[in-house]
Amino acid sequence: MNLSQLVRKARLEVDAIRANGVVSALWSDEEVIDAANTAMDRIARLVRLADSNILTKYMKSTDASEDMISEVYGPSALKMVSAQIDYTLPPDCVRIESITPLTSGYEGIRFYPAGIHQKGWIDQSTLTATDLSTVSGSEQIFYYVLIGARTLRIRPVLTETFDVEVAYQFRPTRLQNYSLGTVRLTKGSSIAHGMGGTAWLTSGVRAPADLVLDTAANVSVNAVYPRITSISTETEAALARTWASDSRDSSYHISMIPQLPEEHHSWLAQVTAATMLRKVSPELSKTALEELDKQLDLGVQPEVTIRQMQESLAVDEYTLP
């Protein structure tokens, strides 16, 4: 379900589309899209609290730089560097799940989260490079804390440089529709070309998304639209399938798709509708949101529990007292 379909379904939920197709003027398009993004933030928080990996991504310090809308982020910022303790996290990072060494010879290194008031963290903070042994080939433990919005601090002080892979919970990109210019589709090609001043990347349009050759007001909740798998430039997007119809230049809009399993899209539309109800009845909106939160928890938590039962539990090595 793309954003335009989600918005339409949310309007139907609050009876904002009459039988004759007239849309209620009580909510503007901007208000409904904002409600959809508010709902997306809400479900992301609930998913994190359920300890689900739905919104987890992996990033290696050897990966290429990535345009993350607010900035072009270079993953090399995560490379562990000798004598360096602070590292800048990606702008969409919410919570660190794990840090794993990639460089050969450093497989025995382990990173664990800590609290800044814990005795172990304080003790490690007083160590200097001269107090530490060689890291390569050893089985040393390092601790980390998150400071502020995006600073990762490592203790004790690193004495060597090596690459890592970071798994982290991310904040999904804000959903939007984009319709500036026109799009050119060529029969037999899987590339859609934007014309007339399109600025897809700069405007924050990201895959997954649907290419809709119609206005957002005319979408169908149950229709299937051409899927965009990637957007490489301001004027070029890759389609999941080659364009089978005749070549054409057309008005269009790109409608982004929530970064959630499709089974949760209808729930997201319902949360969007419940958020919209604040304009009518704050109490009704609050009651609806609380009930929907319970539904998501009942749907997500069992899946997380089953997955964790199938995984091997981490066991510390036995040591003599």
Coordinates of all heavy atoms in Angstrom, one line a residue, residues 17 114 117 127 135 164 182 243 287:
I17 N -14.9 10.4 2.9 CA -15.2 10.3 1.4 C -16.7 9.8 1.3 O -17.1 8.8 1.7 CB -14.3 9.3 0.7 CG1 -12.8 9.7 0.9 CG2 -14.7 9.2 -0.7 CD1 -11.9 8.7 0.2
A114 N 26.8 0.0 27.7 CA 27.0 0.3 29.1 C 26.3 1.5 29.5 O 25.7 2.2 28.7 CB 28.5 0.5 29.4
H117 N 27.0 5.7 34.3 CA 27.2 5.7 35.7 C 27.6 4.4 36.3 O 27.9 4.2 37.5 CB 25.9 6.1 36.4 CG 25.4 7.5 36.1 ND1 26.1 8.6 36.3 CD2 24.2 7.9 35.4 CE1 25.5 9.7 35.9 NE2 24.3 9.3 35.4
L127 N 41.4 4.3 31.8 CA 42.6 3.6 31.2 C 43.1 4.4 30.0 O 42.3 5.0 29.2 CB 42.1 2.2 30.7 CG 41.7 1.2 31.7 CD1 41.2 -0.1 31.1 CD2 42.8 0.9 32.7
V135 N 45.4 -5.4 20.5 CA 44.0 -5.8 20.3 C 43.9 -6.9 19.3 O 43.1 -7.9 19.5 CB 43.1 -4.6 19.7 CG1 41.7 -5.0 19.4 CG2 43.2 -3.4 20.7
V164 N 34.3 -2.3 11.1 CA 33.2 -3.0 11.9 C 31.9 -2.9 11.1 O 31.7 -2.2 10.1 CB 32.9 -2.3 13.3 CG1 34.1 -2.4 14.2 CG2 32.5 -0.8 13.1
T182 N 7.1 15.7 -15.5 CA 6.4 14.6 -16.2 C 7.4 13.4 -16.1 O 8.6 13.6 -15.8 CB 6.1 14.9 -17.6 OG1 7.3 15.3 -18.3 CG2 5.0 16.0 -17.7
W243 N 8.5 -1.8 -18.6 CA 7.3 -1.2 -19.1 C 6.8 -1.9 -20.3 O 7.4 -1.9 -21.3 CB 7.5 0.3 -19.3 CG 6.3 1.1 -19.7 CD1 5.9 1.5 -20.9 CD2 5.2 1.4 -18.8 NE1 4.7 2.2 -20.9 CE2 4.2 2.1 -19.6 CE3 4.9 1.2 -17.5 CZ2 3.1 2.6 -19.1 CZ3 3.8 1.7 -16.9 CH2 2.8 2.4 -17.7
T287 N -8.8 6.9 22.7 CA -9.3 5.5 22.9 C -9.0 4.6 21.7 O -8.5 3.5 21.9 CB -10.8 5.6 23.1 OG1 -11.1 6.4 24.3 CG2 -11.4 4.2 23.4

